[in-house]
Amino acid sequence: MTTTATPPSTRTAPPDRETPLLPPVLRHSAALARRGIVKTVHSPEALLDVTLQPVIFLLLFVYVFGGAISGNSAEYLQFALPGVLLQTVVFASAGTGVGLAEDLKTGIFDRFRSLPIPRSAPLVGAIGADLVRYVASGLIMLGFGFVLGYRTPVGPLAIAGAFALVVAFAFAMCWIFTTLGVLVREPRSVQGIGAMIMLPLTFASSVFVPVETMPGWLQTFVEINPVSRCADAVRALLGGTPAGGAVTASLLTSAVVVAVFAPIAVAIYRRRT
């Protein structure tokens, strides 16, 4: 009688399903960011300020003021679109503060605190969801600009670089509005204070008109305005002209804004929740 040796099993043990692939703060932040995105999808009217409104804004500026500023609408579109793209995404970043103030007022963050999740996850999740809004609004504006007739001599890589610079700048600005959102208790107050900040920064800049057309005293402010630096960088990247200095200045400004306002926002958020 012979016996057959059983070959050693080559099957590997199944992966441990209980072992998380991401740290808890990233995993829970991603889940809460998804909640914010689903909430926005179920309320499409909340997207009007980052979709339809910028489109109307671009149409008005190009076809109402374009002839007076640049002589014709087509030429003004070439100048204005990079700036309006930046203005659109930066204005969208203001919604982060308003949304946070609303959630804090309704008590949803108290509910989050009762859950076994890191305390910073709701804040990071809210910013992550709004980052998706910035990207969506920017892509819509850029696509609409090409439909209107905007043309660029650069390739997809330079366009992607310009778009990434816009999103990075908006991400930095959102920390200013996040600080307002956790500091001010009324959402309408956040909106009002945000408007007071954004209107001078965007209109007293090189977003809509060349700096040379402004009075000398205003040019001094415009030249140090971080929105002007970023608009110049995006315009140069999309226009195929040298952009190294403006890009560096814009990235440094974004890094400084995040380094200053992110710790302040997190400290106030922890104290309130």
Side-chain angles (χ1 to χ4, degrees):
M1 183 175 180
T2 59
T3 58
T4 303
T6 304
S9 174
T10 58
R11 297 178 59 186
T12 57
D16 186 359
R17 294 176 181 273
E18 300 298 328
T19 302
L21 297 177
L22 295 173
V25 63
L26 293 181
R27 194 168 68 254
H28 294 298
S29 298
L32 291 171
R34 181 177 178 276
R35 165 193 169 267
I37 295 170
V38 171
K39 181 181 173 184
T40 302
V41 170
H42 288 176
S43 303
E45 65 273 8
L47 287 174
L48 293 180
D49 63 327
V50 295
T51 54
L52 186 59
Q53 182 175 313
V55 167
I56 295 174
F57 202 74
L58 181 63
L59 287 173
L60 288 175
F61 258 83
V62 169
Y63 293 108
V64 175
F65 302 109
I69 296 174
S70 294
N72 63 76
S73 300
E75 186 176 340
Y76 183 65
L77 177 64
Q78 295 296 122
F79 175 86
L81 181 68
V84 175
L85 171 66
L86 176 65
Q87 181 250 353
T88 298
V89 180
V90 169
F91 264 56
S93 70
T96 304
V98 177
L100 280 173
E102 289 175 347
D103 283 345
L104 286 167
K105 188 176 182 179
T106 58
I108 188 66
F109 276 72
D110 295 331
R111 171 60 178 153
F112 290 150
R113 191 172 55 181
S114 68
L115 299 176
I117 61 175
R119 288 184 63 187
S120 57
L123 185 64
V124 177
I127 294 173
D130 279 338
L131 197 59
V132 175
R133 294 175 73 242
Y134 311 155
V135 173
S137 63
L139 289 175
I140 290 172
M141 177 54 62
L142 192 59
F144 188 68
F146 280 111
V147 171
L148 286 184
Y150 178 79
R151 295 295 180 265
T152 171
V154 300
L157 189 61
I159 296 175
F163 192 79
L165 185 66
V166 169
V167 174
F169 188 78
F171 174 75
M173 295 297 291
C174 92
W175 281 106
I176 298 177
F177 296 105
T178 298
T179 304
L180 284 175
V182 296
L183 180 65
V184 180
R185 297 188 179 276
E186 288 294 330
R188 279 189 292 183
S189 299
V190 178
Q191 202 166 15
I193 297 172
M196 285 194 296
I197 296 173
M198 294 311 303
L199 288 178
L201 284 178
T202 53
F203 282 91
S205 71
S206 61
V207 166
F208 300 108
V209 295
V211 180
E212 298 76 23
T213 63
M214 302 177 188
W217 60 268
L218 185 56
Q219 289 185 21
T220 304
F221 172 78
V222 171
E223 288 173 355
I224 62 173
N225 184 348
V227 175
S228 293
R229 299 281 71 77
C230 191
D232 294 342
V234 174
R235 192 170 285 126
L237 285 172
L238 291 178
T241 57
V247 170
T248 302
S250 181
L251 290 176
L252 285 176
T253 302
S254 300
V256 169
V257 170
V258 173
V260 171
F261 283 95
I264 296 174
V266 172
I268 298 173
Y269 166 77
R270 287 181 175 273
R271 192 175 60 190
R272 282 195 65 179
T273 61

